[in-house]
Structures are given as C-alpha cells and as structure tokens.
Amino acid sequence: EEYDKSHRPNDDIPANATFLVPSDIHPNMIDREDDIAKLRLLAGKLSADWRGHNVTSPALARRLRDFQFAQEKRRRKYGDERPWGILGLYDHLATVRVDVEWAEDAAVRRANGESYLSWADFDASKKRGVNRPYFTYFLLITCTVILTASIVVNDWRVEPLSVNPMIGPSTLSLIQMGAKYSDLIVNHNEAWRLVTSIVLHAGVVHYFINMLALWFVGSAIERTHGVLAAMILFIIPAIGGIILSAIFLPQYITVGASGGIFGLIGACLADIIMNWKLLFSDFVNEDGRKHRHVMVVVFLIVDIVLNCIIGLTPYVDNFTHLGGMTIGFLCGISTMERLSSDFFGIHQNCLTKTKQIIIRFFGLIVSIIGILIATIVLLEGDGATTPCPNCNLLSCVSFPPWNDYNNRWWYCDDCGGVTAQIMLHPALHLNLECPDGMNVQIDLDPDMKIDKGDLERKLPEYC
C-alpha cells in the first residue's frame, strides 16, 4: 500500500515506501517508531540477516510480504500442512527455510534491478542439481546390495519367523557378513564390525522400515543442510549407537542403520526445538491455532514410543536407537543452522560471540568425547560381560510374552528352535549346535530322571 506522508516515522523513509497491511504484520500495529521495532522483531524470527538497522523498514516490510506470498503459494500448491510427528514437523520447518531464502533472493534481485525468480522455479531448484540427496542415495544402494548379499550367503533362503521375524538370514550368516558381535570385536580385533553392521539388515521387514525412514528424514536434512551435515549426523550417531549396544548387550547380535537414522531424527528434534517459537508463531501459522501445540507434542511422543517398540524385536536394540538419537540431538545443536528469533540491531561484543561459538560446537565435542570414552570401555572389557545385566529387557522381548516359551512367535535370539542329541558316551550328556556355530555339551546326571519336555524348554538357555 502507498505510505501516507502524514504518518512518516522518520524523514529517511520515502513517500512511496511499501509496508504490509498492519493486520498482516501484528495486531494493532500502527506507523510509529515502536511499530518499526516490532517489524524488525517479527522479521528476526525468520532470518538473522533481516535484523540489522542497515535494512530500512520499507525493505524489511517487503521481505515479510514476500515471505507471506511464498507461504500462500505453497498452501495453494501443496494444501494446508499438518506438521504432526517428528518428520512432518521437520518438513514444515524445511519449507519455512526455503520460503525465507526465496524472500532473501527476491530482495537481492530487487536491490540489483534484476528480474525475479518465480517462487515455483526457486522451490523446484531446491530439489535438483547439487541439492539432490546423493549421500542418502548412496546409503540406499549400499544397504540394498548388502541385504541381497546376506541372503546369498544364507543359500538364497530366509529363516522361519520363529527364528528371524524380520524375514531374513540366520544369525551365522549375519555374523559372516559383519554383524555387531562384541566377542569378535573385543577379543579378535574385528573393530570393523562397528561400521559394517550399520549397512547390514536383519531381513526384508527391517530393511524396508529403515529405508523408508532414511529416505524421508535423510533426504530432508541433506536438501536443507547439505551433504556434509547429513554425513556427520548419520555416521557419528550410527557408530556411537553400535558401541553402546556392544557394551550393554554383548550377548546380542545387532545390525541395521537404525542408529544413524535415529541420529538424523535426533538432529531433526534439535532443529525443531531450537526453532519452536518460530514454527508456532502467529505469523507463520496464520490462524494461530494453539491446539496444534498439544497435538504436535503427542505425535512426537508417539513417534519415539513406536520406534522403541520396534527396538524390542531380535537383531534390533534400543541402545542403538536411543544412543543414536541422543548423539544425533547433540550433533544437531552444533550442525543445524538456527533461524534467529532475537531482537535486532544489538551489537555483540567479542565475549558474546565466543560464547555462542562454544555453545554451537558443544554438542559435537561432547558426542566425540563420549564416543571415544565408550570405545575405551568396550575394548577394555571382555566382550561378554555387561555392566547392566537386566538392560536386555529394554531392548528385546520374546513375543508374545504371555504364551508358553515354546509357542512364542519369536525369541530374542534364534535359540528358540535349537535341537540337541542325548549322547551316552563317554558320559551321559546333551550335544547342542547353537546358532552362532558353537557346539555346547551339557553333562546330565545319570541318576536323575530325565524329562524330555523339561529339557526342550531349557535348550535355549543352554545356548
């Protein structure tokens, strides 16, 4: 709208200055000095580059108007967003970032007298060329090849659901392919398993769940923050999660990209929390529906709980999941670029800038130091003893637990289907071949009455 000279807040604003309609900017906003301060505060919620006093209030208003225009174009093209759950909310944050970038691009072109790049073309450009998620593509291809190879090693067959509910190979095949096995890592110098287990999956079900999550969250982060950030947020949490699993669950075989994927989810969570006020501001959400705050929190909790339930199945564990999410959250604080919500024009001294740098890299430094300490703890152990004997209950449950042990759908290992032979020579004993390839002999008392059913129930415990 044309700016009325009679209401000019200062003399350096031209007569034809362009402002947003007051109702679009802030309730009860009028053209005074304090209103310009409010205008800068509002703009600061979108971009730190918009907060300096060198940006005049008309230019500031134009950027806000451009941002609102981009948001309206997005709603018309994609419909109203429902940012529920971690992935939905992060996607909402990513679109806000794109619209801020378009408004900044429009401001630069306007200042240089160049023609505008339409919002539709700008939005499409963020999904092609160097913005393509090449690291995510690499992980998808690698995990597909490794899954196929594991089934080939297993003689082109999958194990029964009672052995492997993920529809995949046996434990022995997974170990041959590089699964996390603490005894081999610690006592046979096979530390490479901390890496190979990340791209190995327990079966088809495990693979599709992880690849679907990786595609959505991995590609979103890589498009928004770049390939380097995506690599940091996947690799460091993945390795850290596997190390924690090797320490607390040395008796379990663990595979999967879950640690890295949860690292990406943790980074999304960090980004969302850092920009929470922006995401739910009345400016970004036109109608200011406050009930969304409650629904988003509910869906965030449901997301995490469902993923922890998946961690109760064989070959997948919650130490990898929650460890990866925690490390990813810490790395995300350092890696994710925060949209500023501070007031504008305040000069920062050297001490303040140094403090911000320390806070920014605090999460990454803590994560790396924690992983180094955990690695030392793992290698100094015996590869068999856990510091938390009951922690396996947090990571694997034979299901359904209310059924008789021999009639459950799956077990926390594939010892549920093990068989044994009763040998008479040289002495009465049981001869078992356990799923990890080890032969176990259990001496029996010849004077004690042998109950076949009782022995069958105890076979999994012997392995």
Side-chain angles (χ1 to χ4, degrees):
E1 291 189 346
E2 291 297 317
Y3 188 75
D4 187 356
K5 291 184 179 181
S6 63
H7 293 90
R8 291 169 65 184
N10 53 51
D11 294 334
D12 63 343
I13 299 178
N16 63 345
T18 305
F19 279 88
L20 288 172
V21 177
S23 60
D24 289 338
I25 298 176
H26 191 279
N28 303 320
M29 177 168 279
I30 58 178
D31 302 324
R32 296 182 314 202
E33 289 290 348
D34 58 335
D35 297 326
I36 295 177
K38 293 177 183 178
L39 184 68
R40 292 187 182 280
L41 177 61
L42 178 60
K45 292 183 178 181
L46 298 176
S47 174
D49 295 334
W50 299 2
R51 69 185 186 178
H53 284 304
N54 59 323
V55 180
T56 63
S57 48
L60 202 58
R62 286 290 297 273
R63 294 191 186 196
L64 291 172
R65 189 186 69 177
D66 288 340
F67 172 77
Q68 287 183 317
F69 172 80
Q71 290 274 284
E72 180 60 30
K73 293 286 287 185
R74 185 175 298 281
R75 279 189 289 269
R76 290 180 181 178
K77 183 175 181 179
Y78 299 109
D80 290 331
E81 293 178 313
R82 297 182 181 275
W84 295 345
I86 294 175
L87 300 184
L89 194 56
Y90 184 75
D91 184 63
H92 177 52
L93 176 60
T95 60
V96 171
R97 275 198 168 94
V98 172
D99 293 342
V100 168
E101 290 177 12
W102 180 82
E104 290 177 339
D105 180 75
V108 172
R109 291 172 181 269
R110 183 165 52 245
N112 296 329
E114 301 176 2
S115 59
Y116 283 78
L117 181 65
S118 72
W119 174 85
D121 291 340
F122 186 87
D123 186 55
S125 70
K126 304 300 289 185
K127 301 175 182 178
R128 61 174 182 259
V130 294
N131 293 306
R132 290 184 181 274
Y134 291 110
F135 178 65
T136 303
Y137 292 156
F138 170 77
L139 289 175
L140 292 172
I141 293 172
T142 303
C143 291
T144 303
V145 171
I146 298 299
L147 174 67
T148 304
S150 66
I151 295 177
V152 171
V153 170
N154 205 53
D155 297 328
W156 286 102
R157 62 184 178 84
V158 296
E159 299 300 313
L161 294 181
S162 60
V163 174
N164 187 346
M166 296 295 180
I167 311 179
S170 66
T171 299
L172 185 58
S173 295
L174 291 175
I175 292 175
Q176 291 175 340
M177 290 295 298
K180 182 226 82 182
Y181 190 11
S182 297
D183 178 64
L184 296 178
I185 293 172
V186 175
N187 300 317
H188 297 272
N189 300 319
E190 296 184 5
W192 49 267
R193 292 181 178 273
L194 298 174
V195 177
T196 55
S197 59
I198 295 172
V199 293
L200 181 62
H201 286 82
V204 176
V205 175
H206 189 201
Y207 166 83
F208 276 110
I209 291 174
N210 272 358
M211 294 305 99
L212 188 64
L214 177 62
W215 170 248
F216 282 109
V217 68
S219 59
I221 287 182
E222 194 169 351
R223 285 193 179 104
T224 304
H225 297 281
V227 62
L228 180 60
M231 291 176 66
I232 291 174
L233 295 172
F234 179 88
I235 295 174
I236 294 180
I239 294 177
I242 287 292
I243 292 174
L244 289 177
S245 174
I247 293 174
F248 287 96
L249 299 173
Q251 71 274 34
Y252 287 158
I253 306 301
T254 303
V255 294
S258 304
I261 294 171
F262 269 75
L264 294 172
I265 293 175
C268 288
L269 202 55
D271 207 7
I272 290 167
I273 291 174
M274 289 191 296
N275 295 284
W276 188 269
K277 291 183 179 179
L278 169 64
L279 282 173
F280 294 103
S281 67
D282 291 335
F283 184 69
V284 174
N285 302 279
E286 282 188 335
D287 51 6
R289 286 171 284 188
K290 301 300 183 182
H291 71 274
R292 281 193 173 185
H293 292 65
V294 177
M295 293 303 298
V296 165
V297 171
V298 171
F299 274 85
L300 286 175
I301 295 174
V302 170
D303 266 2
I304 296 173
V305 170
L306 286 178
N307 283 301
C308 289
I309 291 175
I310 294 175
L312 296 176
T313 56
Y315 310 113
V316 186
D317 69 75
N318 281 324
F319 280 96
T320 302
H321 286 181
L322 299 180
M325 178 179 284
T326 302
I327 296 172
F329 181 87
L330 292 172
C331 291
I333 293 175
S334 301
T335 307
M336 298 295 200
E337 181 181 355
R338 181 175 182 175
L339 293 172
S340 175
S341 61
D342 297 329
F343 196 79
F344 301 139
I346 300 176
H347 177 70
Q348 294 179 337
N349 56 36
C350 183
L351 179 62
T352 303
K353 292 181 179 180
T354 303
K355 181 180 178 181
Q356 289 182 346
I357 293 174
I358 293 174
I359 293 175
R360 179 166 179 79
F361 290 98
F362 173 78
L364 190 59
I365 293 172
V366 169
S367 298
I368 293 175
I369 293 176
I371 290 174
L372 291 176
I373 294 174
T375 303
I376 294 173
V377 172
L378 172 63
L379 298 180
E380 290 295 323
D382 59 6
T385 305
T386 173
C388 179
N390 295 323
C391 284
N392 63 309
L393 299 177
L394 300 175
S395 190
C396 189
V397 175
S398 298
F399 192 83
W402 52 84
N403 278 9
D404 181 72
Y405 190 82
N406 291 326
N407 295 320
R408 295 179 182 178
W409 299 353
W410 71 70
Y411 302 85
C412 290
D413 47 43
D414 54 4
C415 294
V418 71
T419 58
Q421 293 179 314
I422 298 180
M423 310 296 291
L424 299 176
H425 299 287
L428 185 64
H429 67 277
L430 284 177
N431 190 26
L432 301 86
E433 183 176 353
C434 294
D436 59 3
M438 295 181 61
N439 289 317
V440 177
Q441 292 186 356
I442 304 295
D443 293 330
L444 299 176
D445 186 352
D447 297 327
M448 189 175 72
K449 182 179 179 180
I450 298 176
D451 184 280
K452 182 180 178 182
D454 185 54
L455 280 179
E456 287 180 346
R457 283 190 293 272
K458 291 183 178 179
L459 290 182
E461 299 177 13
Y462 294 146
C463 273

